[in-house]
Amino acid sequence: MNFFSSTSFMDSKEHCPCSSFPVPQSLHVEVEQDILRSVQAILRELDGHHPGLQCDQGMRRWTLHKKIDRNPISCDILIKILIKELEKAERGDNKHYIIPLLHILMHTIIKAPYISDSLYERVYDFCKKLLTLPKPYCIVGLDCAMKIKNERAVPGLSYQRMVISEQNLRSKVYPHQERVFVFLDPDLISESVCNALLYEAHAAQGQQTPTACMSYVISHSMQAALGSQCDVQRLQKTLEDKPTDVLESCFQEVVAAVELTREEASADRKRFVERLGKIYEKIVAPSAPGAASLKRPQSIPLPSPNISFYLWTDDDLIRKELFLYTRPASQSSEDLDGFNDQSRISVVSADSGIEGDLPPSTEEISCTSSNKESSRLQRRHCMKKKIPVLSSAALAPDTCEASTAKNSGTLHRKSGLIIENTLRPKKMYTARIVVLGDDRVLGRLAKAYYSLRKSEARRPLLTVKANLQFYYIPVLDLQQHSSATNEHTTLYRMECCEVSMYLGKVDPWYESNISTLCHMIPKLATMPSSPSKQLASDPFITDVTSYYVRMGMQPVCFQIYKVKIHFSDVSQDSVEDVFLTELRADIQDHMLPKESMLTRKKMNVESPGTDILINYKKTSLSSREKEVNTLLHSSRLMMKAIPTAETEDLVCLNVSITEVIKTTNLSGRSFCVSACTNTSTIRTSTIEIKIKSMAHRTFTVCLDKDSRRVYNSVVRMEVSPCLEPDYCMQKMKVMQLSPDVHEDVGLTKYMSKSLLLPINTFAGIVQ
C-alpha cells in the first residue's frame, strides 16, 4: 500500500501548503516575542552594554539554540528575525552584528527540521549582498551563500555530511572523516579540571551509537525534504524496529540519493523530494499501520563530534596521533616506529658504508628471510638512495595558501590574513586540533607545528591526506590562587592570555563565546562529583566546543619566530628553537673568577646590566629595508610578537629594552633604570641581537613565558621570522640547479615564505 503517490512529492515545493507545518497564531506571537528578546540580548552583548555579568556571555547564544531544540516550530520564526536584523545591520552602522548573526543563522539552518524555499531564497539573496563588502564579510558571505545554495537544492545536506564525517560512519559516496583532538597540558590544567572535561564529553557522547546516528540522518533528511508529509514519529519507530543491517541499507540509500542530487549539474529540489519520497514509502509502508501522529516538526538531535582527549606529555604526541588517525586500517600500530624513522631521513649517511652497519629495512628483512645463506657483508655506497617523494607541486595547496604574505617583510594586515579555503581540494581526513591553556600551550603548539612541517617537507605523509585545523580555548586554572581577587585575575589573564585577548578584540563573536570559557571551565572542578542528569542532557562546555569547531572556519595567522641561541661555553653547540608570543632575556648573575676579586675592590661601583649590540633590518610601509645598529646598556630585553591593539600588525616584533642610565651625585656614581623608548617598536624582517660585555655577563632566555623552555649562559641571539620548510626545500632545489639565481623563481615565486600558525575564529580579523 502506498501512503503517498509520486505526484504528491513532485508538487511538494514551497507553494504547496501540505509541506509546511501549521502553527497556532497565539503560540506564534508568544514564541516570536521570546525569541526576539533573546536575539536583542545577544546584540546588546556585542555592544558591551548588557547589564549582566561578563561570565554570562556565550550562555545567551547557547540558551537560544536550546530553545529551538526544545521547540522546533520556532526555527522559521528565528530565521525570519535573524534576516530582519541582518538586513538592518547591513543598511545601518552596525556591521559588527553581521557575522555573529550569520553564524547563529547557519547553525539554525543546519538543525532546522524544515525550511521553506522562499526563506532559503531570502537568506541566499542577503548573503550575495555581502560580497560587495570588504573582508571578512565578503569571505564569510561567500561561504554561507555556497552552503545555502546547496542546502536549498538538497535540504539536509549539511546535517548529513556533518554527522557522517564527525561520527565516522561508513559511506562510499561520502567517505570524508573528521575528528576533534583536544590536548591538555597537565602542567597548566589541574587533574580535577581534566576529569571534569572528560566526564562531560563522555556523558554527551554516551548515547551516540552508530545505529542511532544513522537513524538521525535518515529522519532529518526525510523531514527536511518532505516537510509535513513525513510522519517523523512513525518513521523513527519503524527504524528502531529494523535490524542493524537493514537500517544500514536504508541509511546508505538515503545518503546515495542526497549525494547523487548534489553532484548533478542542475540539482533540483523537486527531483530530490521525489527520490526521498520513494525511499520513505519503502521504509514506512511495510510497517503495521498505527494511529496517525500529529503532523508537527520533530527535533532531530545533532550528535556531538567525536572528541578525543590527550594529556600532552610528549612533545611529539600530535604528530604520532595524526599518523595513527590517517593510517590505513590494514596497518598496525607497530608501523609508528617506522614512521618515526622515516621522519629522520638524511640525504648523506654517517655510517661506515657497510651493509651490516645499516639499520634493517623492510626490504632487507624480506630478502634475508627468503635467502638466509646470502648474508655476507657487501660494500655499499656511502650516499643513501633518496626515497622518492611526492612532487613539490602536490604541496602547492598547503604552501601557497598564504601567498599574499610571501614576503616576510610585508605587513600581513595590509595584505590580508584570512585564508580562502573554498578552492582547495577536498581531503579525506580533517583533524581539528584544539588546545586548552594559556599562551604557554600555544608556544608548545607552535613548536610542534614547526616540527611537523619540517618532517612533512622531507617526506609528506600527513598533509597530503589530512586537512589540519587549529583551535584555541583559553583556560586559566586558578585553583592554586583561591584567594585571588577579580582584579588580580583580570591582570593575570592580560599577562598570560595575550593571544585570546587579541582574538577577542579582532573577533567579537570569539570574545563572546570562547574567551568566556577562560574562567568557566575551571568552575567544572568545583561541581559535585556525583553524576548529574542536567550535565548529561545539557553539556555546556561540550556544546560550545562543538559549536566552535563547526562554525569557526576563518583563521587568524600568527607568525612563528625562530631563535638561534649561542652560549658562553664555546664547546656547547648553538640551539635553535621557536616562539610565538614573547622572548624574555634577563641579565644572569655571574660569579667573577678568583683572580679578578682583588681588582674588583679597586673598580668603581659595578653597574647593573651589560652592553648589548642590536643589529636589525628596519622595514617601512613601502617594504624597503634599512639596517640599523644600536648599542645600549641594558638589564632586560623583551620581544612581544602579539600586538596590544587590534589595529597593529601581527608581523611586527615589539622590542622593549630596559636601559640602565648612569648618573653622578655627590656621594659618587649611581644608576637608575628606565624603559628605553627609542626602539620600542621594530618593524623588521630580520633582527640579530649580540651581547657585548666586559664583565662576563650572560643572559637567561625564556620563550613563550614557559619555565620549561629556559636557556642559561646565553651570549648571543639571532631572531628572525621562521620560514616555511616547504619553501626552504624548494629553494634549495632551485639553488642546486641555478646557483647564481637568488630571487624566487619557479614554484617558490608562488609559495608562502613565512611559517604561519593559523588559529581558527568565527570571523578572522574584523576591520
Side-chain angles (χ1 to χ4, degrees):
M1 177 179 178
N2 291 333
F3 289 87
F4 299 93
S5 63
S6 61
T7 56
S8 65
F9 292 107
M10 292 284 289
D11 300 330
S12 60
K13 296 189 72 173
E14 165 52 25
H15 58 269
C16 181
C18 64
S19 297
S20 57
F21 296 94
V23 182
Q25 185 64 26
S26 59
L27 178 62
H28 185 282
V29 175
E30 181 181 352
V31 172
E32 183 177 4
Q33 292 177 352
D34 181 47
I35 293 178
L36 182 59
R37 287 193 296 267
S38 300
V39 173
Q40 290 175 347
I42 293 175
L43 297 181
R44 290 195 300 269
E45 176 184 303
L46 291 171
D47 287 332
H49 303 312
H50 201 284
L53 297 176
Q54 185 178 5
C55 61
D56 294 334
Q57 292 183 358
M59 290 288 294
R60 301 180 183 93
R61 192 276 313 164
W62 180 75
T63 304
L64 176 61
H65 282 147
K66 285 299 177 182
K67 290 180 181 179
I68 303 303
D69 293 341
R70 289 190 291 267
N71 186 13
I73 299 178
S74 58
C75 276
D76 279 4
I77 300 174
L78 175 59
I79 293 174
K80 292 176 183 178
I81 292 175
L82 291 174
I83 293 176
K84 290 180 182 179
E85 296 294 337
L86 283 167
E87 291 172 346
K88 289 194 299 184
E90 192 269 336
R91 291 192 303 265
D93 194 23
N94 294 318
K95 288 187 172 53
H96 61 287
Y97 292 166
I98 292 179
I99 293 180
L101 292 178
L102 205 56
H103 281 303
I104 298 177
L105 176 64
M106 294 304 298
H107 191 268
T108 304
I109 289 176
I110 292 174
K111 301 181 66 175
Y114 178 84
I115 300 177
S116 62
D117 187 73
S118 60
L119 209 53
Y120 272 129
E121 184 178 6
R122 191 174 174 185
V123 176
Y124 181 68
D125 291 339
F126 173 79
C127 292
K128 290 194 298 184
K129 291 181 182 179
L130 298 181
L131 300 181
T132 61
L133 298 180
K135 292 181 179 180
Y137 305 103
C138 60
I139 295 176
V140 178
L142 176 61
D143 181 62
C144 294
M146 295 174 62
K147 292 179 180 178
I148 292 297
K149 182 179 180 181
N150 294 331
E151 195 72 19
R152 183 183 179 185
V154 190
L157 175 66
S158 300
Y159 179 96
Q160 175 178 290
R161 288 186 168 183
M162 185 174 292
V163 175
I164 291 176
S165 59
E166 291 180 349
Q167 305 301 324
N168 295 328
L169 301 179
R170 292 184 296 176
S171 173
K172 294 182 180 179
V173 293
Y174 189 72
H176 188 72
Q177 299 181 21
E178 295 183 6
R179 183 179 295 178
V180 179
F181 298 84
V182 178
F183 290 92
L184 307 171
D185 193 331
D187 294 336
L188 307 181
I189 300 179
S190 63
E191 183 180 358
S192 58
V193 174
C194 293
N195 292 334
L197 290 172
L198 190 61
Y199 166 71
E200 180 177 316
H202 284 177
Q205 299 174 5
Q207 305 298 325
Q208 296 176 186
T209 61
T211 54
C213 293
M214 287 190 288
S215 178
Y216 294 157
V217 171
I218 296 173
S219 302
H220 185 273
S221 299
M222 293 294 181
Q223 185 172 222
L226 307 180
S228 60
Q229 296 180 355
C230 175
D231 191 341
V232 182
Q233 293 183 355
R234 185 173 186 179
L235 175 62
Q236 291 178 330
K237 182 65 171 61
T238 304
L239 294 175
E240 290 178 0
D241 297 337
K242 289 185 178 297
T244 304
D245 56 341
V246 178
L247 176 63
E248 185 174 357
S249 177
C250 297
F251 166 77
Q252 297 294 346
E253 193 172 358
V254 171
V255 173
V258 171
E259 293 297 330
L260 177 61
T261 309
R262 170 65 184 87
E263 295 298 330
E264 290 177 346
S266 58
D268 186 12
R269 182 171 182 172
K270 185 177 180 180
R271 189 182 308 168
F272 174 64
V273 171
E274 179 184 1
R275 286 173 178 167
L276 283 194
K278 293 179 180 179
I279 300 175
Y280 177 81
E281 293 176 7
K282 188 169 59 175
I283 295 175
V284 178
S287 63
S293 60
L294 297 176
K295 297 299 181 64
R296 293 186 303 180
Q298 299 295 320
S299 178
I300 309 298
L302 179 60
S304 301
N306 185 3
I307 302 178
S308 303
F309 288 84
Y310 300 92
L311 289 180
W312 199 357
T313 55
D314 182 8
D315 290 337
D316 206 30
L317 182 61
I318 291 181
R319 190 162 61 98
K320 292 178 180 178
E321 291 301 328
L322 289 178
F323 172 74
L324 294 175
Y325 170 53
T326 58
R327 66 184 173 90
S330 59
Q331 293 184 3
S332 63
S333 58
E334 296 177 355
D335 295 336
L336 182 60
D337 297 333
F339 168 71
N340 293 333
D341 295 335
Q342 292 170 1
S343 64
R344 295 187 290 269
I345 293 174
S346 176
V347 176
V348 181
S349 173
D351 57 72
S352 63
I354 301 177
E355 184 179 2
D357 296 339
L358 298 176
S361 62
T362 56
E363 296 180 357
E364 293 171 350
I365 293 175
S366 61
C367 293
T368 54
S369 61
S370 61
N371 189 8
K372 296 182 179 181
E373 296 179 358
S374 57
S375 59
R376 294 181 299 173
L377 299 181
Q378 297 178 358
R379 175 66 61 177
R380 299 182 75 183
H381 296 290
C382 291
M383 296 294 294
K384 280 187 179 178
K385 186 177 181 180
K386 291 185 180 180
I387 295 179
V389 298
L390 297 179
S391 173
S392 299
L395 299 177
D398 290 323
T399 58
C400 301
E401 60 186 6
S403 59
T404 54
K406 178 177 69 67
N407 185 3
S408 60
T410 304
L411 304 183
H412 279 199
R413 181 173 290 277
K414 222 177 135 184
S415 55
L417 271 171
I418 298 179
I419 301 172
E420 294 85 346
N421 294 322
T422 55
L423 299 180
R424 295 182 58 183
K426 199 75 174 180
K427 298 178 181 179
M428 182 176 177
Y429 300 95
T430 296
R432 306 192 183 278
I433 300 173
V434 184
V435 294
L436 276 69
D438 51 28
D439 291 342
R440 291 173 288 181
V441 75
L442 285 177
R444 290 192 68 185
L445 178 62
K447 187 174 181 180
Y449 183 59
Y450 174 64
S451 176
L452 174 64
R453 297 299 300 180
K454 282 180 65 177
S455 63
E456 290 293 299
R458 299 188 188 101
R459 186 181 184 186
L461 294 173
L462 301 176
T463 54
V464 295
K465 295 181 181 179
N467 179 26
L468 304 183
Q469 301 287 328
F470 296 97
Y471 302 84
Y472 170 52
I473 298 178
V475 175
L476 278 183
D477 195 355
L478 298 178
Q479 292 186 0
Q480 300 176 353
H481 305 276
S482 57
S483 60
T485 61
N486 292 334
E487 182 180 359
H488 178 269
T489 302
T490 303
L491 294 176
Y492 187 70
R493 183 195 171 191
M494 293 177 61
E495 179 183 354
C496 298
C497 294
E498 291 182 281
V499 175
S500 66
M501 297 284 287
Y502 177 82
L503 293 178
K505 292 177 182 177
V506 300
D507 186 358
W509 202 228
Y510 180 91
E511 175 67 21
S512 178
N513 290 274
I514 307 305
S515 293
T516 53
L517 299 178
C518 183
H519 306 294
M520 193 173 298
I521 289 180
K523 290 182 179 179
L524 289 174
T526 62
M527 297 178 64
S529 57
S530 60
S532 173
K533 295 182 179 179
Q534 183 179 2
L535 181 62
S537 60
D538 293 329
F540 175 73
I541 302 299
T542 302
D543 285 351
V544 175
T545 303
S546 303
Y547 178 77
Y548 179 30
V549 298
R550 286 167 174 164
M551 310 304 294
M553 301 303 294
Q554 299 300 327
V556 176
C557 300
F558 293 90
Q559 174 67 61
I560 300 177
Y561 290 90
K562 182 173 67 174
V563 54
K564 189 173 183 179
I565 299 175
H566 303 266
F567 301 96
S568 58
D569 187 358
V570 294
S571 62
Q572 187 175 359
D573 296 335
S574 59
V575 174
E576 288 189 358
D577 206 337
V578 297
F579 68 93
L580 184 72
T581 57
E582 77 169 29
L583 180 149
R584 186 180 75 246
D586 297 293
I587 289 297
Q588 183 176 354
D589 294 334
H590 183 75
M591 296 299 295
L592 293 176
K594 292 183 179 181
E595 54 269 14
S596 62
M597 294 296 294
L598 298 177
T599 59
R600 183 179 179 181
K601 298 180 180 180
K602 301 179 181 179
M603 297 172 58
N604 295 329
V605 179
E606 186 179 3
S607 64
T610 187
D611 293 333
I612 61 173
L613 176 63
I614 302 178
N615 175 268
Y616 65 94
K617 292 181 180 179
K618 185 177 181 181
T619 304
S620 62
L621 293 177
S622 61
S623 297
R624 295 181 179 179
E625 295 182 349
K626 178 182 177 182
E627 190 168 345
V628 180
N629 290 279
T630 304
L631 179 63
L632 295 174
H633 193 84
S634 173
S635 62
R636 169 176 289 189
L637 182 143
M638 180 82 71
M639 294 185 185
K640 290 281 189 180
I642 308 301
T644 56
E646 63 271 21
T647 56
E648 296 182 13
D649 188 20
L650 278 174
V651 189
C652 177
L653 277 176
N654 296 324
V655 183
S656 300
I657 304 174
T658 304
E659 187 178 4
V660 179
I661 302 176
K662 300 178 181 181
T663 59
T664 305
N665 52 26
L666 296 177
S667 60
R669 182 178 298 176
S670 62
F671 307 93
C672 66
V673 179
S674 64
C676 178
T677 59
N678 56 344
T679 57
S680 59
T681 301
I682 300 176
R683 299 179 181 271
T684 176
S685 59
T686 303
I687 177 169
E688 180 180 355
I689 299 178
K690 297 180 179 179
I691 299 177
K692 179 182 178 181
S693 175
M694 301 301 295
H696 306 283
R697 293 291 182 91
T698 58
F699 273 179
T700 298
V701 177
C702 180
L703 301 178
D704 288 322
K705 312 168 189 177
D706 197 340
S707 59
R708 297 166 296 183
R709 302 175 62 193
V710 175
Y711 298 93
N712 296 316
S713 303
V714 178
V715 295
R716 191 168 80 251
M717 297 177 294
E718 299 170 9
V719 180
S720 61
C722 191
L723 297 180
E724 174 64 53
D726 289 332
Y727 168 83
C728 297
M729 186 70 67
Q730 187 67 22
K731 185 74 172 179
M732 182 179 64
K733 295 179 180 179
V734 173
M735 294 296 294
Q736 290 176 352
L737 297 176
S738 303
D740 298 333
V741 178
H742 298 285
E743 64 274 6
D744 292 336
V745 295
L747 186 60
T748 57
K749 188 177 181 180
Y750 305 98
M751 297 177 69
S752 175
K753 188 175 181 180
S754 298
L755 180 61
L756 309 176
L757 177 64
I759 303 296
N760 277 12
T761 61
F762 298 100
I765 295 180
V766 179
Q767 301 289 349

